[in-house]
Amino acid sequence: MRKKQKIVAALMLLVALHLAILLAGFIAPYNPATQNRDFPFVPPTRFHFADARGHFHLRPFIYQWTVRPEGFNEYEEARGREYPVQFFVRGPEYTIAGLVRSDVHLFGVEGPARIFLAGSDGFGRDQFSRIMYGGQISLAAGLLATGISLFLGLLVGCISGFYGSWIDESAMRLVELFLVLPWLYLLLAVRSFLPLHISPTQTFFLLVAVIGTIGWARPARLVRGIVLSAKGRKYVTASRGFGATDSYILRRHVLPHTYGVLLTQAALLVPQYIVAEVTLSFLGLGVSEPVSSWGNLLANLQQYNVLASYWWMFAPALALVIISLGYLKVANAIHERLQSDSI
Amino acid sequence: MKYLERRVIHGLLLLIGVSILCFALSAAAPGNFFDEMKLNPQISPSTVAGLRARYGFDQPLVWRYGHWVESVLRGEWGYSFAYNCPVRSLLLVRARNTLILTGLATLLAWLIAVPLGVWTANRRGRWDDRLSMASTSLLLSVPELVIALVLLYWAVRIHTLPVGGMASVDFGGLGVQAKLFDLALHLVVPVTTLVLASLPLLVRHIRASMIEVLQAPFVQAARAHGIGGARLLFRYALPAAANPLSSLLGLSVGALLSGSLLVEVITGWPGLGPLLLDAALARDIYVVVGAVMASTLFMIFGGILADILLVAVDPRVRLGKV
Amino acid sequence: MRIEETARHALKPALAKAAGLSKRYVQRAPFSYKSFVIDALVDVEFDIAPASLTALVGESGSGKSTLARCLAMLEKADRGEIWFEGKEVSRSSDRELKALRPKIQMVFQDSAGALNPGFTAAQIIAEPLEVQRRESGARLHSRACELMEEVGLSPNWADRRPLEFSGGQRQRLAIARAIALKPAFLILDESVSGLDLSTQAQILNLLLDLQKAHSLTYLLISHDLGLVGQIADFVAVMQQGKIVEQGPRREVFANPRHHHTRELLASVRLLRSNFRTAQAGGR
């Protein structure tokens, strides 16, 4: 019973995170590309309940940041005017999943103040909004690439396990080759053979294809093992005896056994692939500006002064860790469940 | 020893497979070094064509592959367009640096992971085991990239550690001891990153295989005979768990290599990683192939090393019974 | 009596027949030139009369299961012919096989392994009908329920999964599935072995009832002559891939010609006398 609750909790967390990122437009207060050159590297906004005169406010409020007179990129709160945090405010227009258009945002403050939940970057863009939108790219890359890997793995594993002989032999050699290679080296190598200067959309799909193609080996091997053992079952022989075709046997008797493994693999691969996308973008081989992804957001930290002075630029890393943790919990839970089922 | 022979042959075949894969991919992908060059208005098209012909890019893939194999046999490992020298001279230094980093990280990670895994397996379910499991599962979801960045931030903050690179500016003028100390200081951030990144998986695997062994009848029997404590854990149980662990060692080398690429780039360690990244950006494909081959070679050596260790620890393997 | 029985079947041509059937398994060890050769079938000549019950007896490893799988077209013999309803079928095309399969059905020994644990009872029984496109939709389910009733299982259990049934009930499920396509020839590979005596008897009774109702022909494979030998019309004895003795049951029992048959018979008698003594002692 406790185990079940754990799965449910982890799943809920993941669903909430994905939903939030899908609804980035609504949750993020600003357009991720809007620059605010007067406010580069603004620290995260502080929330207050008590104002300068000691009055308590039920609704939290913020002060606007102003540049400290003597410092460079250093800010202090302008205590002159309070800006209460408002919910469901109108702001810049956005679309959700390319379908719903709206301009209502979850929260915001009245202008000219701006609310920077996770500070701002060198162009004064709201980092929280950039993380939300960047999450769309990173998550989509992870999910799509996982889809590709699982599809390829399922395909190769099924054919290899079901038809055996030389097909199996050669497929498994190839699997070993892919398993033993350091994936990042391979990823870089493959990426290096692809054109560098292409549109962000093309880059994104190329990236997904490359990441997805590299990770097919482990699912393929696991699926093959399951197909092999399922194929040897008596009920498969019996099914042949009724005149069942290969495709019927695969569909009805073999594939259902692979779902558990595919699910576990998915939960393991998605965070890995999100990290792969982040890594490539971080290294400048992935999604590039002005489109944001967690990778190129983190790439800001490659500049020494950013790393040393602006701790809030680590915020995308936190998002990455939370997502990874959620997937890991789910993967563990599914794995435990499968093991207790098989006994 | 026949077993090791087979491993070596297997490794060679793997290398050949990797090189073919690299060449096939490079042929499948559109564009090459010279296409980028064509975009540069300062280089005349005829020069580009001349270069193309000189490096055999107007020849079919099989010819190029044959040419490359020949150059490998001559010890050149192909030619770098960007650096204008044989790839081998680039690779040797970089590979040595990567080897220092990953070798040290592997050693440290295992030195920490084995006692920790064995201990927590023995203390299964108690508070220290739970603490270790909770922290490993947290660490498991922090990517190397983030670990490296956080450590780098820490290094920047405390000011005593060098940030990036492999040696200080005045390295050349230092004595041997001072040189080693300087190297060690530069190693702190990258090695710690790699150790932290590989530790959770190692501890978990070691713990899992130890738990399995500790439940085996012979361990129970040893306990019944009054053998207990560290002697039971390390002399009786651990060798029995060596077999799955040796394959883990092989795999952990691979994971470390991938991790080290990133860590090298972030911390500016002059290993294979930055070389590969630059080559990838410049589309200097023989360098790319060379770096991938070198990393594969490390993996194979890692695997063989693991086997040798296994032979040393597990008498069943020595006698050819597994 | 012996003459009568032989005459009853001799007039009709054999339903299934094997002629010169041979099968050899070669297993090669990895990384080695050595290989193991097992001759599972050696020139097997075998007749099965229509509407009869033939018992095929032999020790484990004597090749009876291989013969069964060859007759059921689940495996191809190396040499020899298989005749079914007067036609040579061992080299049938895939399409011919698909038409032939419904007529020859097999029930396996290990009922737990022969039934997909993820299917419900109704799905299991309906599978052959689905594969052969005999029924579809709701009819599929109702036909499955009818078949369950026919083998003595309550249709209320249609949604249970195999592991929720007892061994004997699972065997009934397997039988229901095998007769779903209204076959002419049913091969029962050790179908009653591994069950306790009373369940064995119940299943055999069910088989006999079904035989009467559908004029089925049975090939009943067993490693001992016990219960099976008692109800068979014909008995064939296999040893090391060869059929060493074959004939009407009474003839074989009264006058075994091959020493292996005699050994098998002796063990049956020994068991039975032990069983009787035990019963007598118990009372």
Tab-separated table of all heavy atoms in Angstrom, chain A residues 6 10 16 46 124 130 153 215 229 244 292 297 343:
chain	number	residue	atom	x	y	z
A	6	LYS	N	3.545	5.794	-3.100
A	6	LYS	CA	4.782	6.397	-3.615
A	6	LYS	C	4.680	6.618	-5.114
A	6	LYS	O	5.017	7.694	-5.602
A	6	LYS	CB	5.963	5.477	-3.325
A	6	LYS	CG	6.756	5.861	-2.106
A	6	LYS	CD	8.034	5.067	-2.124
A	6	LYS	CE	8.614	4.871	-0.759
A	6	LYS	NZ	9.659	3.847	-0.771
A	10	ALA	N	4.775	10.248	-6.971
A	10	ALA	CA	5.781	10.591	-7.983
A	10	ALA	C	5.117	10.927	-9.304
A	10	ALA	O	5.497	11.890	-9.983
A	10	ALA	CB	6.765	9.439	-8.163
A	16	ALA	N	2.133	17.169	-12.790
A	16	ALA	CA	2.024	18.597	-12.478
A	16	ALA	C	3.120	19.390	-13.187
A	16	ALA	O	2.859	20.437	-13.790
A	16	ALA	CB	2.102	18.803	-10.972
A	46	ARG	N	12.122	39.876	-4.195
A	46	ARG	CA	11.771	39.436	-2.848
A	46	ARG	C	10.312	39.772	-2.560
A	46	ARG	O	9.820	40.822	-2.977
A	46	ARG	CB	12.659	40.126	-1.814
A	46	ARG	CG	14.083	39.651	-1.896
A	46	ARG	CD	14.868	40.180	-0.719
A	46	ARG	NE	16.271	40.244	-1.103
A	46	ARG	CZ	17.044	41.270	-0.870
A	46	ARG	NH1	16.564	42.318	-0.214
A	46	ARG	NH2	18.302	41.258	-1.251
A	124	GLY	N	18.255	41.220	-19.466
A	124	GLY	CA	17.116	41.645	-18.669
A	124	GLY	C	15.860	40.832	-18.950
A	124	GLY	O	14.757	41.251	-18.631
A	130	ARG	N	11.772	32.229	-19.070
A	130	ARG	CA	12.649	31.511	-20.006
A	130	ARG	C	12.763	30.045	-19.601
A	130	ARG	O	12.848	29.156	-20.448
A	130	ARG	CB	14.026	32.169	-20.064
A	130	ARG	CG	13.990	33.487	-20.817
A	130	ARG	CD	15.362	34.121	-20.959
A	130	ARG	NE	16.248	33.430	-21.873
A	130	ARG	CZ	16.091	33.434	-23.193
A	130	ARG	NH1	15.073	34.067	-23.735
A	130	ARG	NH2	16.945	32.807	-23.963
A	153	GLY	N	14.039	0.331	-30.523
A	153	GLY	CA	14.377	-0.805	-29.669
A	153	GLY	C	13.348	-1.908	-29.788
A	153	GLY	O	13.685	-3.090	-29.889
A	215	GLY	N	20.263	5.817	-28.430
A	215	GLY	CA	19.928	5.036	-27.248
A	215	GLY	C	19.058	3.822	-27.487
A	215	GLY	O	18.496	3.282	-26.545
A	229	SER	N	11.906	-15.203	-24.549
A	229	SER	CA	11.299	-16.091	-23.553
A	229	SER	C	9.808	-16.279	-23.834
A	229	SER	O	9.263	-17.355	-23.651
A	229	SER	CB	11.528	-15.556	-22.139
A	229	SER	OG	10.542	-14.633	-21.787
A	244	ALA	N	-2.281	-19.416	-36.192
A	244	ALA	CA	-2.026	-17.996	-35.998
A	244	ALA	C	-0.798	-17.553	-36.795
A	244	ALA	O	0.168	-18.290	-36.911
A	244	ALA	CB	-1.812	-17.699	-34.520
A	292	SER	N	14.913	29.460	-26.145
A	292	SER	CA	15.580	29.049	-24.916
A	292	SER	C	15.352	27.572	-24.668
A	292	SER	O	14.318	27.013	-25.024
A	292	SER	CB	15.056	29.862	-23.732
A	292	SER	OG	13.719	29.506	-23.460
A	297	LEU	N	20.258	28.025	-21.466
A	297	LEU	CA	20.148	28.896	-20.290
A	297	LEU	C	21.340	28.672	-19.369
A	297	LEU	O	21.946	29.607	-18.862
A	297	LEU	CB	18.856	28.608	-19.530
A	297	LEU	CG	17.546	29.074	-20.170
A	297	LEU	CD1	16.363	28.662	-19.324
A	297	LEU	CD2	17.568	30.580	-20.355
A	343	ILE	N	7.447	-12.525	-9.475
A	343	ILE	CA	7.711	-13.605	-8.532
A	343	ILE	C	6.430	-14.413	-8.288
A	343	ILE	O	5.364	-13.855	-8.244
A	343	ILE	CB	8.271	-13.050	-7.190
A	343	ILE	CG1	9.665	-12.493	-7.452
A	343	ILE	CG2	8.341	-14.121	-6.135
A	343	ILE	CD1	10.201	-11.632	-6.337
